[in-house]
Amino acid sequence: MTSESAALRERLVTFMHEQVLPRHPDVHREIASSPAGHRPAVLAELKARARAQGLWNLGMPTLPDDAPGTRLSNEAFAPMAEIMGWVYWAAEIFNCHAPDLPNMEMLVQLANEEQRRQWLSPLLEGAVCSGFAMTEPDVASSDARNIRCSIERSGDEWVLNGRKWFVGNVGRPDCRFVIAMGVSDPEAPPTRRHSAVIVPVDAPGVEFVRHVPILGSRHRYGPHGELRFNNARVPVGNLLGEQGRGFAAAQVRLATARIHHCMRFLGAAEVVLRLMIERASQRHPFGQALIDRETVQHWIARSRLELEQARLLTLDAARQLDALGGIGARRAISMIKLAVAEACFALGDRAIQTFGAAGVTEDTPVGSFFAEARAFRIYDGPDEVHLRTIARMELDETGARWPAPLLPMLHVPAGL
Amino acid sequence: MTSESAALRERLVTFMHEQVLPRHPDVHREIASSPAGHRPAVLAELKARARAQGLWNLGMPTLPDDAPGTRLSNEAFAPMAEIMGWVYWAAEIFNCHAPDLPNMEMLVQLANEEQRRQWLSPLLEGAVCSGFAMTEPDVASSDARNIRCSIERSGDEWVLNGRKWFVGNVGRPDCRFVIAMGVSDPEAPPTRRHSAVIVPVDAPGVEFVRHVPILGSRHRYGPHGELRFNNARVPVGNLLGEQGRGFAAAQVRLATARIHHCMRFLGAAEVVLRLMIERASQRHPFGQALIDRETVQHWIARSRLELEQARLLTLDAARQLDALGGIGARRAISMIKLAVAEACFALGDRAIQTFGAAGVTEDTPVGSFFAEARAFRIYDGPDEVHLRTIARMELDETGARWPAPLLPMLHVPAGL
Amino acid sequence: MTSESAALRERLVTFMHEQVLPRHPDVHREIASSPAGHRPAVLAELKARARAQGLWNLGMPTLPDDAPGTRLSNEAFAPMAEIMGWVYWAAEIFNCHAPDLPNMEMLVQLANEEQRRQWLSPLLEGAVCSGFAMTEPDVASSDARNIRCSIERSGDEWVLNGRKWFVGNVGRPDCRFVIAMGVSDPEAPPTRRHSAVIVPVDAPGVEFVRHVPILGSRHRYGPHGELRFNNARVPVGNLLGEQGRGFAAAQVRLATARIHHCMRFLGAAEVVLRLMIERASQRHPFGQALIDRETVQHWIARSRLELEQARLLTLDAARQLDALGGIGARRAISMIKLAVAEACFALGDRAIQTFGAAGVTEDTPVGSFFAEARAFRIYDGPDEVHLRTIARMELDETGARWPAPLLPMLHVPAGL
Amino acid sequence: MTSESAALRERLVTFMHEQVLPRHPDVHREIASSPAGHRPAVLAELKARARAQGLWNLGMPTLPDDAPGTRLSNEAFAPMAEIMGWVYWAAEIFNCHAPDLPNMEMLVQLANEEQRRQWLSPLLEGAVCSGFAMTEPDVASSDARNIRCSIERSGDEWVLNGRKWFVGNVGRPDCRFVIAMGVSDPEAPPTRRHSAVIVPVDAPGVEFVRHVPILGSRHRYGPHGELRFNNARVPVGNLLGEQGRGFAAAQVRLATARIHHCMRFLGAAEVVLRLMIERASQRHPFGQALIDRETVQHWIARSRLELEQARLLTLDAARQLDALGGIGARRAISMIKLAVAEACFALGDRAIQTFGAAGVTEDTPVGSFFAEARAFRIYDGPDEVHLRTIARMELDETGARWPAPLLPMLHVPAGL
């Protein structure tokens, strides 16, 4: 870690301790009793303070020179993302929240000048928010080739038809646009059929159907919306990247989005683990504090072990991403997605059991952490898709790694 | 199974198929978009029809002769409870829902004539509902001896002070009373300190604090309330059973409540398994239906195995309860509580993974089944308390079961 | 349980307690320091005593009237098999050991008069032993259609060529013959290609290659041999059942063999659980007896739960087998094979951990129980084959079980 | 990695590929059919070649200048240990095998000049071998304070009485001495009671009881012996380190021994994973290669994930050991011991299931890898002891890590 990023990290920790954690009870209470998507007033104030301290647009290594931000490498940003993850409403203070951060990265890489001016700049300022519309309720979207929202050219416009859900941010009053994936070239080969277009939420034919309630309720803060495109129309200039290269475009946001997501989860996990220890110290069923029971101690130890391993793996993936790019880091990215989601799910489960009935309420971060972790085992690709990726890469490289001399070990009948 | 109970079962299945399942979409939509505790209008109509067919107050073997109901043994009622469990709002149609059914059993066993008239009769008619107020937010209630709500005698009244939560039904407009557990004899030995009293929800000093939101949202239908007793006052006649024998009183409802709970869960599980199979048949990621993938097939097979084992165990527990009573069946009850909750949790997890993103929404029974199953691993005693009970009984009976000749097997060094 | 079988059971328990358990240390020491297949001299004495008490050839419901034995139903025999399973060398005392018992059942069902006289009678007397030669080292034998040992007609003889391993009993001095499965009709449909023939171990061309050492060493007692048929020749009269119906023939032994195997394993598991409790009472690391630690208590409780569930399932499978035959009980048989092997494996693992270093030696039954349980997850069909069977039966019957009204539950978008 | 250690690593890989792997079938067959402890003749030849290439006494950072060896840091040696672990008989070729390597480290740190000359030098030359006698059959040795072998001063001698087992190397003809731990100061505080002494195997009163057979049979190569000290006498000069500081002395060997053990296991695991892939490509039950089945692919992917995480963790532990010493790296050491043993056990289990029946034989490395991994969950401290250590360290540092502001998150009742 360079001294610069160490200093930045230190400042971020201080900010979290002084500005964020003490406000959590009030902010959480306000969010929990407000409609989905509500932003507490204090947020704007905190954003201003964070930006004043240079804690703004961290990450995004290729951010243009004239844009506000720090341009940390993935490896350097990862520990920052973890710290922001301590509290579910914190990342936005630093303009490092999903899905806006990955959307910004996508725009940095792919947008033309006009698109940057119109869509990227307000995001970099934290003035508006945006969504990413990929998943569809009608198909198994874990295989992106199944996506069938149509994007047809009609004169100077793209016309979209289809349903999308799990669109982050959409439904928030300050949501200005979504990046939507759909089929623009139905006759092309499967991986060249899709394009990405920028769809303002107030474009004609864009229908906000509902907030989709998810397990637990943290989603009041970061609600997932359902959209319907009914002959929705956007200018041709809203195509992001090349036509038919939507998958390649999505790749741009994917690897970093996953690393950030993983690190934020690890941060939330550290808080949950700490709360679990506190709670276990306070409760005394059957004449013994929970913390003195072997079962709870083993839960703590296993969680520590799993988090530590997941963190080392994620940092290694960030290093690979910096060095090799998204394709080169693909195996590592699949591995962290799987490992972090499972470690957090296991921790969430143990934390609920430690908290008892309070663990399944909304009064503590434990229940919603568990629910989020459960959902995370599907978001960004379900466990099984990543297992498949890892297995395939293992099989591919297997021949190269080991010499033929190993094969006789397969069977050496030993006469006895 | 006698031919009588076979006929009853057949009638129940038909009722579920003809009257309940087809109405599910409408009823669920109504519940999901109404405030917690809302009862769809169709419910009253269905209750009347069910009662007309003799599908009313099934179970409760010791129901007095003049009360409406069938008096099935636990073994005979268990399969009925499973069928009612198919749909979360169904058991109430037959007046067999928690916590009213266990409350009725408690009143049947312990209430004096006046109490029966005043509190039991309206429940048996399904005219009102009731709660059970035991768990407290401030103590580890898994060890019931920790409960510290105070019940003090003051003239002709009992005065209650304390907080309770996870009080089923409370907050529903038709909720008339709760049975509250508290400390009446603080100087007595730990298991003789507590009493049970009937507390009308409109008694002075009874404060309804809030519905406690739980993971997921089925709880809009069966919400869990938080109550505060601020010098709440009830007549001395509201003591249920003997003073200082609250735990013995609670025992009455405990064993049957757990068996019913388990069987209803198994019924819900069968529906979830079936829906999972349907869903897996409809989704085709990566060129193959999910149902043709080994992973999904193994999930189905494991779930079938676990449900089958849990069902056999639960039926065996019901038989033991009929034959030996609650104490004699204690180990069996702990075993089913553990096994059913874990089997359902595992199934719910697999079903979510099969459904993908839809699995974590409220649009299907899958997400809330998972959340309910998670909570069930705490309700009615957390896993660890039941493991403890099973282990202790194993250790107690160990000496009796095996003769001394076994002991040499502990160590036979074999010179080689 | 009838009073007759209860009495028999009582006698068996007494025999085990008085005759078998006290002798275990000496017998085990003798076996552990002798060559594979060695039979302690005391065995003959015990066999005579058992037979004198009517504890001989229990089970085998269709045993001919003139043969020695009790003809218990599967349901009645299952608990006996469990008791015999307490000690690994006990079943043979009662002539109820594998693979001879399933071989006897096969001969009872399929052998002609001459075959019965020559091969069945000596087995029923416990005078000789026999093997079952199905698995082959060169193919994935979990799919029996892969078996490729050839059985060709040549004049008055069948000529066998191929390799077999995991042939129980073979290599014991008193082993007289094996029943071998091979391809007799290579052009027939896959399930009509194989035949079963009786192959005396001293037939020309039968080569005993070696005892195949398995994880652990209990196999010194019941060693698994490897055979090679090099133009091995047996008379045409040695065909067992019809030509090309080898699979149907094997079915005869399969269902009962699995039930017996499962019950014996459950018996061994009860002993291991008991020893684990004893050991945990004797060891005191870090100032506390292991038995007082929550981890060990949970291991005990989980094992009790899993064994109880597996036992209920196995008894249910035995009932189904009695009532419906092997085909009707197929799902149940697959379920017990899976459940018992996994429960025993988990118990064995916990027992080793409780015993510490001694757990991986041969000085206690724990290590070899673990190794046996591991192997059992492959013997009689690997876990995955049974999962596949269970899943397929679930899918087949799914349509019939649930009515169309259930389907709307698949997706009820609830507008909020 | 420095270029020097990269070159060394390259040379080691080449040596393994050219000299070791091709010889494996012959060497394994020879070992498997020889008495325990047998050393194939080719070993001496390979040792000479390895030494000639500088592949000798790698590791041991503090090796004196005049001793043969490379003095790699732990971080640099760890990948070498992994490579040596590919084949169970390879580490000895490079004089880097347990328990001799940790014994050498102990002697390097603690031995006086005379002891070095007499006991260390022959080990460094690979001329003799040695054991470490700590574990006792009569006590729970996972808590080293339980060890009760007595070491009493009598004139110019130490007199030992007690039993030891799991003493590596002992019983081999070339075993010259063991380092034995015992109670020298029974009245001292528990951690100051024990001393370490060097006990020649031919000292009067040293009785070799037996080879203790372990699950599986690789132990024919590295057998674990049982020793009895019957008033065994050694000169006072054989005390290693200070009297009463045996635990501190043992610490010296512990951390590095565990890292080496873990890395060798990871090397063996890579081979097993590779063999598993090969085997899965060759077997075709039910019309599909195992390798094309999702279950097997998931097994491969999970194993890859677990091995990768365990490897990163182990390398991190090696770095910590280099930087902070054994005490500072204590948590990391406990974590790798746990993680590697569990990852290897899981892989071994999956590999057996992939191999089918062959997996439980001795014909492939799979069965013994599984058995070794099972035993490894006890060796070097059972899982539960390490969980305890990790939990305690977590609790200790918990207060320091998080500020008080976090605590309000424990409970924020959200009124709804």
Side-chain angles (χ1 to χ4, degrees), chain D residues 58-379:
Chain D
L58 307 155
M60 288 193 286
T62 60
L63 193 63
D65 288 347
D66 59 346
T70 60
R71 296 160 194 80
L72 297 176
S73 67
N74 285 292
E75 186 183 359
F77 177 58
M80 312 281 181
E82 175 174 348
I83 294 160
M84 294 175 196
W86 292 351
V87 175
Y88 69 89
W89 50 274
E92 191 169 345
I93 296 169
F94 314 102
N95 214 40
C96 293
H97 55 295
D100 284 312
L101 175 47
N103 276 358
M104 287 189 273
E105 293 208 297
M106 210 174 165
L107 291 166
V108 163
Q109 301 286 331
L110 299 170
N112 56 37
E113 203 146 328
E114 171 54 22
Q115 289 171 336
R116 285 186 186 213
R117 195 196 51 73
Q118 193 174 3
W119 310 109
L120 175 58
S121 292
L123 284 185
L124 289 170
E125 299 296 321
V128 303
C129 73
S130 64
F132 186 67
M134 178 140 153
T135 300
E136 300 181 2
D138 299 324
V139 298
S141 309
S142 57
D143 179 356
R145 293 166 304 178
N146 281 343
I147 286 170
R148 63 180 187 219
C149 167
S150 72
I151 303 182
E152 280 176 275
R153 179 73 179 260
S154 165
D156 283 352
E157 293 181 318
W158 295 107
V159 181
L160 290 85
N161 279 289
R163 291 173 67 200
K164 297 285 181 182
W165 68 352
F166 288 82
V167 185
N169 276 340
V170 91
R172 276 174 56 174
D174 57 343
C175 181
R176 188 153 159 214
F177 67 95
V178 304
I179 300 175
M181 301 284 292
V183 176
S184 56
D185 300 83
E187 308 303 325
T191 57
R192 303 295 281 265
R193 282 183 196 156
H194 294 75
S195 297
V197 295
I198 297 166
V199 182
V201 295
D202 57 1
V206 175
E207 177 193 357
F208 174 72
V209 181
R210 57 171 178 157
H211 288 299
V212 180
I214 308 294
L215 289 173
S217 60
R218 186 190 296 186
H219 286 279
R220 269 201 204 79
Y221 185 71
H224 289 144
E226 181 172 337
L227 285 180
R228 199 171 277 134
F229 299 136
N230 311 306
N231 287 316
R233 294 175 169 273
V234 302
V236 288
N238 281 21
L239 179 71
L240 187 58
E242 289 175 51
Q243 183 174 340
R245 302 306 300 269
F247 285 158
Q251 278 314 113
V252 169
R253 75 193 300 286
L254 220 140
T256 47
R258 283 178 184 163
I259 287 178
H260 302 165
H261 214 159
C262 285
M263 291 306 296
R264 277 192 305 266
F265 254 108
L266 290 175
E270 290 292 334
V271 169
V272 166
L273 180 55
R274 164 70 172 149
L275 294 177
M276 178 177 159
I277 290 171
E278 282 299 327
R279 175 80 172 191
S281 306
Q282 295 172 3
R283 308 290 277 200
H284 295 73
F286 303 102
Q288 192 182 26
L290 284 178
I291 198 67
D292 293 327
R293 292 177 176 274
E294 214 173 43
T295 302
V296 175
Q297 291 183 0
H298 286 193
W299 287 343
I300 291 167
R302 289 219 167 267
S303 295
R304 168 53 58 218
L305 174 62
E306 290 161 9
L307 295 180
E308 203 67 22
Q309 288 194 100
R311 181 179 289 109
L312 286 172
L313 196 70
T314 308
L315 292 173
D316 191 62
R319 262 190 299 275
Q320 290 188 34
L321 184 59
D322 286 329
L324 311 171
I327 300 300
R330 201 165 57 132
R331 192 184 74 153
I333 301 290
S334 272
M335 291 205 298
I336 61 170
K337 171 56 187 61
L338 186 64
V340 173
E342 292 193 337
C344 288
F345 182 66
L347 167 62
D349 190 70
R350 293 166 188 146
I352 285 183
Q353 208 65 8
T354 305
F355 269 74
V360 294
T361 68
E362 296 185 355
D363 294 4
T364 86
V366 160
S368 57
F369 175 77
F370 170 75
E372 287 279 324
R374 182 62 194 84
F376 189 34
R377 286 177 42 214
I378 294 172
Y379 299 160

Side-chain angles (χ1 to χ4, degrees), chain A residues 22-34:
Chain A
R23 286 185 173 85
H24 176 72
D26 288 342
V27 172
H28 176 64
R29 210 175 285 112
E30 180 178 341
I31 293 168
S33 54
S34 303

Side-chain angles (χ1 to χ4, degrees), chain B residues 294 298 302, chain C residues 134-135 140-144 258 333-339 341-342 373-390, chain D residues 283 285-286 290 293 295-296 299 349-350 352-357:
Chain B
E294 216 174 44
H298 286 193
R302 290 222 166 264
Chain C
M134 177 140 154
T135 299
S141 309
S142 57
D143 178 356
R258 284 178 183 165
I333 301 291
S334 272
M335 291 204 297
I336 62 170
K337 171 57 186 60
L338 187 63
E342 293 193 336
R374 182 63 194 82
F376 189 32
R377 286 178 42 214
I378 294 172
Y379 299 160
D380 293 0
D383 298 352
E384 291 69 30
V385 168
H386 294 293
L387 286 167
R388 176 186 156 94
T389 301
I390 300 166
Chain D
R283 308 290 277 200
F286 303 102
L290 284 178
R293 292 177 176 274
T295 302
V296 175
W299 287 343
D349 190 70
R350 293 166 188 146
I352 285 183
Q353 208 65 8
T354 305
F355 269 74

Side-chain angles (χ1 to χ4, degrees), chain B residues 84-130:
Chain B
M84 294 174 196
W86 290 350
V87 176
Y88 68 89
W89 50 274
E92 191 168 344
I93 297 169
F94 314 102
N95 215 39
C96 292
H97 56 295
D100 285 312
L101 175 47
N103 276 358
M104 287 189 272
E105 293 207 298
M106 211 175 166
L107 291 166
V108 163
Q109 301 285 331
L110 298 171
N112 58 36
E113 205 147 328
E114 171 52 22
Q115 288 170 337
R116 286 187 186 212
R117 194 195 51 73
Q118 193 174 1
W119 310 107
L120 175 58
S121 292
L123 283 185
L124 288 170
E125 298 296 321
V128 302
C129 76
S130 63

Side-chain angles (χ1 to χ4, degrees), chain C residues 77-100:
Chain C
F77 177 58
M80 312 282 183
E82 175 174 348
I83 294 160
M84 295 173 196
W86 291 350
V87 176
Y88 69 87
W89 51 274
E92 190 168 344
I93 297 169
F94 314 103
N95 214 40
C96 294
H97 54 296
D100 283 313

